[in-house]
Amino acid sequence: MTTVFATIITIGDELLIGQVVDTNSAWMAQQLNEAGILVKQRISVGDNAADIVDALNKAAASSSIVLITGGLGPTADDITKPVLCKYFGTELVMNDAALQNIQTIFTKLNRPLTERNIKQAEVPASCTVLQNARGTAPGMWFEQNGVVFVSMPGVPHEMKGMMTSDVLPRLAQHMQLPAVLHRTLLTAGIGESFLADLIEAWEAKLPANIKLAYLPNYGMVRLRLTATGPEKMILEKALDEQFSQLQSLVKNYMVTDRDEPLELVCARLLKAHTKVLVTAESCTGGYISHLITSHAGSSDYYAGSIVSYSYYLKQQLLGVKSDTLKQQGAVSEAVVTEMALGALHNTEADYALAVSGIMGPGGATPDKPVGTVWMAVAGPNGVDTQLMQFRFDRRRNIELTATFALNMLRKRLVLDLGE
C-alpha cells in the first residue's frame, strides 16, 4: 500500500506578520495523521496571487492531497477564489445551495444581505461545492492530474466542521488509505536523554513499521508509538505488545498510559473516588482553574478557585495570618500552607492545591529570584509542600507552575487513594 501525502496551505497576510496564530494547520495535520495521511509540508502565504499559485504548484508536485484554508471572505483582500479560477482554467458561477445557506443565516441574524455577501455564493464552475454548515463561505473540491485540492474557510470553527463532515469522509472513499495507530504515555521525573538510555535496547528492536517519538515539554516527556500498515487488526495486536513492553520499562516514571493532559489524570482519580478539589492561586492568576474547567464534567470533582493575588485577599478569603505574610513573605512555605488549609476550611473540599510565586520579570529579591514558586497540596493526610525554581519568561513560568503543581497533586492522590 502506497503512502498518501498531503500538503496544507494557509493563506493570509495576518498569518505571516504574526497577528493571527495558525492553529488550522496543526489541527488538520492531526486529523490527517489519524486518517492514515502523512503531511509532507505546511506552507503559509500572504494574500498575493503569485505566491498562492507558487504554493499550489509546489504542493501538487509532492502531494496527492492539497488542503487550503483562508481567503474566502467577502472583502477585497480575500482572493483565493479568483486565483483558483485562474489556476484551474474556469470561471465563477452562482451556487444556489450556497446562496440559500447565506440567506438563511442572515435571516436568522436579522441582518440585511448585501451584494458583497451574495457574492460569497459564487464558486469556480469546475469544483464540487462543499456546503458550510457553520458559516457563509462554501468549500471547494477540485481534482486535477491525480491531485485533490480542497479549499476551505480560514475560520477554525467553520474549517473543522467542513473537514469532519465532508473532507475526511470523501478522502477515505476517494483513496486507499493505510491504517495509522498511536499509543501514547507520559513520563515525569526523568530527562529525555536518560529516558532514551533506559529504553535504548528495546527501541532498537522495534519493527520497521512501528516508530517511537520523544515529545518533551515542561519537565515531562511524552512517548508516542505510531504503527502503519494495511491490516488494522494485525497492527493493533503488534502495537499493543510493544506498548505493553514500553510501559513495563518506564513504569517508575509513568504518569499516564493515555494521551491526556495532567488535569485529566487528576480528574479521573478524583472522580473515581468521589473527591472534590479546590485551588488557591496567587501567581498563576486562575490558570490552573482554567485548565481544569476547560473539560466537560469538571463540576463533578472541582469546587472552584480562590484567586488571591494581594495580601488583603489572602487574609480575607483564605485566612492567611498577617504575621505570616509580614515575616515570611507571600512566596513562602508557610503562606502557601495556610492558603491550602484555608481553601479546605472555606469550601469543605477534600483536597486543596495552592501556589504562590514570582513569575517575573519584576518582583524578585536576592533570596527569591524570578521563577521562585512554592506549592502545597492539603488533604486528609496533611499538607505536602514543594519549592520550585523556574528560569523562563512570565508566561512559561506560569505554565510550568501549573504543570508541576498538578503533578504534585496527582502523586498525592495516588498515595492516598491507592491507585
Side-chain angles (χ1 to χ4, degrees):
M1 183 175 289
T2 58
T3 303
V4 178
F5 290 106
T7 291
I8 298 171
I9 300 175
T10 53
I11 298 172
D13 290 339
E14 67 276 9
L15 301 175
L16 298 184
I17 65 175
Q19 187 177 28
V20 173
V21 177
D22 172 25
T23 59
N24 280 353
S25 58
W27 184 88
M28 292 164 70
Q30 292 172 351
Q31 302 306 305
L32 291 169
N33 189 262
E34 292 292 336
I37 300 167
L38 299 184
V39 177
K40 187 78 171 181
Q41 57 191 336
R42 290 157 53 175
I43 304 171
S44 287
V45 295
D47 298 304
N48 179 279
D51 291 341
I52 295 172
V53 170
D54 182 61
L56 291 169
N57 288 331
K58 186 182 296 184
S62 63
S63 303
S64 53
I65 301 169
V66 181
L67 300 184
I68 310 152
T69 66
L72 300 182
T75 56
D77 61 334
D78 293 308
I79 62 172
T80 299
K81 279 195 291 189
V83 171
L84 290 176
C85 271
K86 186 174 181 181
Y87 188 81
F88 291 108
T90 187
E91 61 182 357
L92 287 173
V93 296
M94 182 64 66
N95 182 266
D96 291 338
L99 178 59
Q100 180 61 50
N101 181 53
I102 293 171
Q103 290 172 335
T104 299
I105 290 173
F106 274 75
T107 299
K108 287 181 178 178
L109 295 173
N110 196 26
R111 292 181 182 176
L113 187 62
T114 69
E115 185 64 28
R116 198 180 290 271
N117 301 129
I118 292 172
K119 286 184 70 66
Q120 281 199 283
E122 293 182 345
V123 297
S126 63
C127 79
T128 298
V129 178
L130 307 178
Q131 296 302 334
N132 187 349
R134 299 180 176 181
T136 56
M140 296 161 284
W141 174 294
F142 302 87
E143 295 180 31
Q144 181 172 281
N145 300 326
V147 179
V148 171
F149 299 79
V150 185
S151 176
M152 294 171 285
V155 179
H157 178 65
E158 297 179 24
M159 177 276 296
K160 290 178 181 179
M162 198 171 290
M163 278 283 290
T164 303
S165 63
D166 284 309
V167 178
L168 291 171
R170 284 174 181 265
L171 290 174
Q173 293 176 356
H174 192 78
M175 298 177 173
Q176 188 178 7
L177 301 175
V180 177
L181 303 175
H182 303 281
R183 298 289 184 273
T184 303
L185 61 79
L186 179 65
T187 65
I190 183 171
E192 182 182 10
S193 59
F194 292 101
L195 194 56
D197 289 340
L198 179 65
I199 61 177
E200 181 179 13
W202 166 84
E203 184 179 2
K205 295 178 182 178
L206 279 174
N209 66 329
I210 300 180
K211 307 295 183 184
L212 175 67
Y214 294 81
L215 308 169
N217 189 35
Y218 295 148
M220 299 188 175
V221 181
R222 202 174 297 274
L223 297 177
R224 186 190 67 226
L225 279 177
T226 301
T228 308
E231 298 291 338
K232 185 175 181 179
M233 290 183 65
I234 296 174
L235 205 61
E236 287 267 11
K237 183 179 179 181
L239 184 59
D240 285 341
E241 288 175 356
Q242 295 298 332
F243 191 56
S244 178
Q245 293 177 32
L246 177 60
Q247 291 178 75
S248 179
L249 289 170
V250 303
K251 62 182 179 182
N252 292 332
Y253 306 99
M254 191 168 67
V255 172
T256 177
D257 60 358
R258 308 181 190 188
D259 189 8
E260 62 185 357
L262 266 173
E263 64 269 16
L264 278 185
V265 179
C266 295
R268 282 194 293 105
L269 290 166
L270 290 163
K271 194 170 182 179
H273 296 271
T274 61
K275 302 298 182 183
V276 174
L277 170 71
V278 64
T279 53
E281 301 183 61
S282 182
C283 59
T284 48
Y287 182 68
I288 296 173
S289 179
H290 158 72
L291 293 176
I292 295 169
T293 58
S294 63
H295 302 283
S298 54
S299 59
D300 292 340
Y301 51 85
Y302 185 57
S305 180
I306 300 170
V307 182
S308 55
Y309 218 62
S310 67
Y311 276 28
Y312 176 78
L313 286 185
K314 286 181 175 67
Q315 295 174 69
Q316 294 298 311
L317 299 182
L318 294 169
V320 177
K321 299 181 181 66
S322 176
D323 287 345
T324 308
L325 287 164
K326 290 177 181 177
Q327 296 168 13
Q328 305 290 331
V331 183
S332 63
E333 183 177 22
V335 164
V336 83
T337 298
E338 291 183 15
M339 287 173 64
L341 291 173
L344 274 187
H345 176 75
N346 290 338
T347 62
E348 296 184 348
D350 300 291
Y351 287 90
L353 175 61
V355 293
S356 184
I358 303 168
M359 299 293 93
T365 62
D367 61 327
K368 295 177 183 178
V370 168
T372 302
V373 179
W374 274 100
M375 50 189 66
V377 174
N381 294 316
V383 183
D384 298 330
T385 59
Q386 186 175 2
L387 172 65
M388 300 299 301
Q389 298 283 357
F390 302 123
R391 55 184 177 85
F392 301 101
D393 60 26
R394 184 178 185 84
R395 179 173 179 176
R396 192 171 183 194
N397 285 340
I398 289 172
E399 292 171 341
L400 280 165
T401 298
T403 296
F404 277 81
L406 285 166
N407 194 43
M408 183 182 178
L409 171 65
R410 177 195 67 85
K411 289 189 284 188
R412 181 70 264 166
L413 293 174
V414 168
L415 286 172
D416 286 357
L417 306 177
E419 297 255 343

